[in-house]
């Protein structure tokens, strides 16, 4: 149809953005929801690692990712991006941090800029529990142990060799299959 | 077909006799006699070596643990083993340590430490490539040894079993190997035979025998292995290659004693899933038993293990034993 290609207007975010926003009902209505989310995004940019409840953390993650993504794509001279930064960051020195610290840090990233780790549930029951939302590349010790490389463990060595043998055998049978066809031609 | 079908005849599984027969399953006197004799020589030599230590001196062992943390342990010289050091530290280390690194040199876990050193305890899930190659080879070597131990006791009385040797451990080949001479011509093992040997292997391994190491003089070794022509032949060659020119290293695991150069794992509790993959006939009476096993710490899907078993069925390309006279 004549629908313009909107996918080129915004950089694709590298997190799963849910189609419907969470309600976060408050006496102030949607404005109250946005006020709280602004506080969360501000705190994330200020402290680089915050612990809060999971639903708000997930919601704030998408707003923070979008903010950083736009700042990288458009820079600080872009009017709309600066307006957004001004709106979302309650403490104005963080606007400087966003454009001068976070943008250079995340310019070459091929992954998301934030990480959401599940935290403890303080009482038993079926509810979402706490979460730790952090900006990647923060100066704190890692929350989870670094992923180990297991390829030299015994089972992986054996399976690797079996895989290699299988592939060699398969290549041979493929070569044998293609030869009679070639000879016919 | 009675020759090709064999039963459990080892001490730890006395087989029930069938209802109608008169012939009772006899225990393997020959093998047990031989083993008993070897054990008595081993014990005597062990006690003699222990008595050489006049009084206990202390040594400082610097244990390097997780995250490069160092602890100093004060241990007994020539008596304390890396296992004793692990006992001072944690149960997890005791249970999971396969082999130790003493001053960078690979060391059996139950071998006494002779002097001040730095100690590292390695498990089957090591931190880097170098440690992994050491640990994997040790495991493979120990599995070869255990295969020999199990095969020796698996055959019926009328079949003479003479263990020849096992080639150096090669993990990448996909199987561990023991070459055995059986007094059987053209034996083709059935699926049931494989299952029975594997079951014996599992039973032996579940008894949690520790591997005890002993360096003995070649004359003592010859006395120990006088009934085994192949080993008696190999002992002089092995002795000349050793550091002092005259010593042979033997390992005892449960009732079985065998010669091996390299370090072995701490105990059979570290072996998890194991299976006998194939028996290939090498020469007229020499059979190559091949198996594959994984440590108890490492979990693997049954389908993936099946892939390893299938690969282990191929004839292992390790060196074949050269026979001077058949």
């Amino acid at each position: 149809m004549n629908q313009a290609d909107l996918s080129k207007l915004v950089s694709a975010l590298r997190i799963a953005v849910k189609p419907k926003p969470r309600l976060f009902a408050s006496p102030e209505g949607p404005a109250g929801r946005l006020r709280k989310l602004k506080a969360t995004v501000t705190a994330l940019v200020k402290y680089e690692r915050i612990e809060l409840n999971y639903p708000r953390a997930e919601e704030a993650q998408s707003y923070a990712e979008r903010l950083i993504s736009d700042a990288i794509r458009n820079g600080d001279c872009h009017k709309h991006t600066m307006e957004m930064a001004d709106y979302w960051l309650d403490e104005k020195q963080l606007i400087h941090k966003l454009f001068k610290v976070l943008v250079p840090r995340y310019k070459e990233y091929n992954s998301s800029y934030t990480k959401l780790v599940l935290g403890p549930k303080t009482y038993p029951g079926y509810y979402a529990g706490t979460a730790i939302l952090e900006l990647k590349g923060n100066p704190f010790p890692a929350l989870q142990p670094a992923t180990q490389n297991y390829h030299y463990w015994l089972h992986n060595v054996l399976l690797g060799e079996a895989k290699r043998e299988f592939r060699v055998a398969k290549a041979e049978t493929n070569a044998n299959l293609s030869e009679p066809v070639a000879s016919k031609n | 077909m009675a020759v090709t079908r064999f039963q459990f005849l080892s001490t730890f599984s006395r087989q029930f006799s069938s209802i109608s027969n008169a012939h009772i399953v006899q225990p393997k006197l020959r093998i047990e006699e031989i083993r008993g004799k070897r054990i008595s020589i081993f014990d005597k030599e062990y006690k003699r070596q222990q008595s050489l230590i006049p009084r206990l001196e202390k040594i400082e062992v610097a244990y390097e643990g997780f995250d490069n943390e160092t602890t100093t342990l004060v241990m007994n010289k020539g008596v304390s083993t890396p296992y004793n050091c692990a006992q001072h530290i944690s149960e997890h280390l005791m249970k999971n340590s396969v082999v130790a690194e003493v001053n960078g040199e690979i060391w059996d876990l139950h071998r006494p430490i002779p002097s001040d050193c730095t100690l590292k305890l390695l498990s089957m899930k090591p931190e880097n490539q170098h440690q992994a190659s050491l640990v994997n080879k040790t495991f493979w070597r120990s599995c070869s040894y255990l295969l020999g131990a199990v095969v020796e006791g698996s055959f019926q009385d009328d079949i003479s079993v003479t263990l020849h040797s096992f080639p150096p451990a090669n993990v990448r080949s996909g199987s561990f190997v023991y070459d055995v001479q059986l007094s059987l011509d053209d034996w083709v093992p059935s699926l049931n035979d494989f299952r029975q040997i594997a079951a014996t292997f599992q039973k032996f391994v579940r008894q949690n025998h520790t591997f005890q190491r002993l360096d003995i003089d070649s004359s003592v070794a010859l006395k120990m292995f006088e009934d085994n022509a192949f080993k008696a032949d190999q002992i002089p060659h092995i002795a000349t290659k050793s550091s002092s020119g005259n010593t042979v290293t033997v390992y005892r695991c449960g009732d079985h004693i065998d010669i091996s150069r390299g370090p072995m794992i701490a105990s059979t509790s570290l072996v998890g899933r194991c299976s006998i993959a194939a028996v290939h006939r090498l020469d007229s009476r020499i059979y190559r038993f091949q198996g594959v096993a994984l440590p108890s710490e490492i979990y693997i899907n049954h389908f993936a293990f099946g892939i390893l078993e299938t690969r282990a069925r191929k004839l292992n390309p390790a060196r074949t034993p050269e026979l001077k006279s058949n």
Side-chain angles (χ1 to χ4, degrees), chain A residues 148 151-155 157-159 161-162 164-165, chain B residues 125-127 132 136 139 171-172 295 298 308 311 314:
Chain A
Q148 251 183 307
H151 79 273
Y152 39 72
W153 287 1
L154 184 64
H155 62 314
V157 170
L158 294 171
L159 282 170
E161 288 297 314
R164 229 158 280 150
E165 251 187 47
Chain B
K125 294 182 175 176
E127 284 144 17
N136 292 344
F139 181 82
V171 176
R172 290 190 180 270
I298 289 175
L308 300 183
R311 181 156 182 260
K314 300 200 184 106

Side-chain angles (χ1 to χ4, degrees), chain B residues 181-232:
Chain B
Q181 190 197 57
L182 305 168
S183 61
L184 290 169
D185 299 307
D186 304 313
W187 175 53
V188 176
S190 68
L191 209 61
N192 206 26
D193 294 342
F194 287 131
R195 286 209 194 102
Q196 281 187 324
I197 310 180
T200 332
F201 196 117
Q202 274 285 16
K203 261 191 169 168
F204 184 74
V205 147
R206 286 293 143 260
Q207 287 169 353
N208 297 348
H209 298 292
T210 54
F211 280 80
Q212 226 184 331
R213 181 200 164 107
L214 195 63
D215 292 309
I216 53 175
D217 197 59
S218 57
S219 54
V220 181
L222 282 166
K223 230 185 350 153
M224 224 190 243
F225 290 101
E226 59 195 4
D227 49 86
N228 189 327
F230 300 122
K231 302 257 178 212

Side-chain angles (χ1 to χ4, degrees), chain B residues 154-178:
Chain B
S154 290
F155 287 85
Q156 276 178 340
D157 276 338
D158 47 331
I159 304 164
S160 87
V161 181
T162 322
L163 300 180
H164 187 286
S165 66
F166 58 94
N170 182 357
V171 176
R172 290 190 180 270
S173 65
S175 57
F176 51 82
V177 160
Y178 212 111

Side-chain angles (χ1 to χ4, degrees), chain A residues 31 62 79 129:
Chain A
S62 21
K79 183 157 180 265

Side-chain angles (χ1 to χ4, degrees), chain A residues 3 29 38 57 79 100 114 147 154 161 177:
Chain A
Q3 179 66 41
K38 274 202 283 182
K79 183 157 180 265
K100 299 296 181 189
T114 56
T147 49
L154 184 64
E161 288 297 314
L177 283 173

